[in-house]
């Protein structure tokens, strides 16, 4: 037994369990389908389909020169369900804004929850930009200081009912344009991080 999404590398010693002609290929059978099976250097690796859990009955058949064959005994592969943290579906793009203008976007578009738990959302203010996040529906409102131009960055968060939190990539917010002397950063989006609990920052709120 194993938790979902666990890969067993070199789990089955195929050459040690089958003997015969060296021109051998292996076929993996299972019901129901829940894992993928790959062979390298005489060993079989089992990798589950993402988020799959349950029990699959499987066996391996060895074929020699395409005609002779031998089958292993049946064996079970069991994966146990685990509670996954919120999943960031795609990186949040950098945001460009005009001076003295507000901007809004829907944070819920970027997150999903595998188990169907209710998500709550948050964001962190920057020095010159008020980042307002509706924790229930994920609507984000950005309010820069009056007449301010510049570039700042922030993170956004999604939290599930099991108190697992996923932090977004770093998002740059650009107010103004290069005509205002603003240095437009190159894309600095990085992979999202999964953290164990809601960030303990005074500028992050989770109503």
């Amino acid at each position: 037994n194993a938790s979902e999404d666990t890969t067993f590398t070199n789990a089955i010693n195929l050459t040690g369990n089958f003997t015969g002609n060296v021109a051998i290929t292996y076929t993996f059978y299972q019901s129901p389908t829940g894992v993928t099976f790959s062979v390298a250097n005489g060993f079989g690796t089992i990798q589950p389909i993402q988020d799959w859990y349950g029990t699959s009955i499987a066996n391996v058949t060895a074929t020699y020169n395409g005609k002779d064959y031998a089958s292993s005994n049946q064996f079970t592969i069991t994966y146990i369900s685990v509670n996954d943290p919120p999943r960031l579906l795609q990186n949040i793009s950098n945001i460009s804004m005009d001076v003295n203008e507000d901007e809004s976007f829907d944070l819920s578009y970027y997150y999903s929850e595998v188990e169907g738990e209710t998500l709550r959302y948050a964001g962190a203010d920057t020095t010159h930009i008020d980042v307002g996040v509706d924790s229930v529906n994920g609507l984000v409102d950005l309010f820069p200081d009056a007449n301010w131009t510049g570039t700042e960055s922030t993170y956004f968060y999604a939290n599930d009912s099991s108190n697992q939190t996923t932090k977004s990539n770093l998002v740059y917010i650009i107010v103004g344009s290069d005509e205002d002397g603003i240095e437009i950063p190159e894309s600095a989006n990085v992979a999202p991080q999964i953290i164990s609990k809601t960030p303990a920052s005074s500028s992050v709120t989770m109503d």
Side-chain angles (χ1 to χ4, degrees):
N1 294 358
S3 298
E4 65 180 62
D5 300 328
T6 301
T7 297
F8 290 97
T9 302
N10 297 337
I12 303 176
N13 184 349
L14 297 168
T15 55
N17 285 282
F18 290 95
T19 60
N21 194 303
V22 294
I24 185 172
T25 58
Y26 301 100
T27 305
F28 181 76
Y29 297 96
Q30 60 178 316
S31 179
T33 300
V35 303
T36 60
F37 186 78
S38 58
V39 177
N41 301 318
F43 285 87
T45 292
I46 296 172
Q47 182 174 5
I49 298 170
Q50 187 177 40
D51 301 322
W52 181 82
Y53 62 90
T55 297
S56 183
I57 307 299
N59 75 327
V60 178
T61 294
T63 301
Y64 310 106
N65 291 328
K67 49 184 179 180
D68 298 324
Y69 69 92
S71 293
S72 73
N73 59 298
Q74 287 189 336
F75 53 94
T76 61
I77 303 170
T78 300
Y79 280 93
I80 301 169
S81 175
V82 298
N83 191 302
D84 295 289
R87 182 168 297 159
L88 188 67
L89 299 174
Q90 61 180 334
N91 280 352
I92 302 172
S93 300
N94 296 333
I95 300 167
S96 296
M97 304 173 59
D98 293 329
V99 180
N100 294 325
E101 294 289 337
D102 303 333
E103 186 72 33
S104 299
F105 70 95
D106 189 352
L107 194 57
S108 67
Y109 174 80
Y110 294 93
Y111 284 96
S112 69
E113 219 296 317
V114 175
E115 286 77 27
E117 296 179 46
T118 299
L119 292 181
R120 300 180 77 83
Y121 305 93
D125 290 338
T126 69
T127 302
H128 297 284
I129 302 170
D130 178 29
V131 179
V133 180
D134 187 310
S135 64
V136 176
N137 63 30
L139 183 63
V140 177
D141 292 307
L142 305 174
F143 303 99
D145 291 346
N147 301 317
W148 178 80
T149 61
T151 299
E152 293 183 333
S153 59
T154 190
Y155 292 98
F156 297 93
Y157 307 86
N159 178 270
D160 65 19
S161 56
S162 300
N163 202 32
Q164 298 184 99
T165 299
T166 298
K167 180 168 71 171
S168 75
N169 57 289
L170 183 64
V171 180
Y172 282 85
I173 305 172
I174 304 139
V175 180
S177 66
D178 52 1
E179 296 178 356
D180 301 307
I182 303 302
E183 182 179 349
I184 308 299
E186 296 181 2
S187 177
N189 289 346
V190 296
Q193 302 176 38
I194 296 171
I195 53 182
S196 60
K197 57 184 179 181
T198 303
S201 170
S202 60
S203 61
V204 177
T205 57
M206 196 74 69
D207 298 331

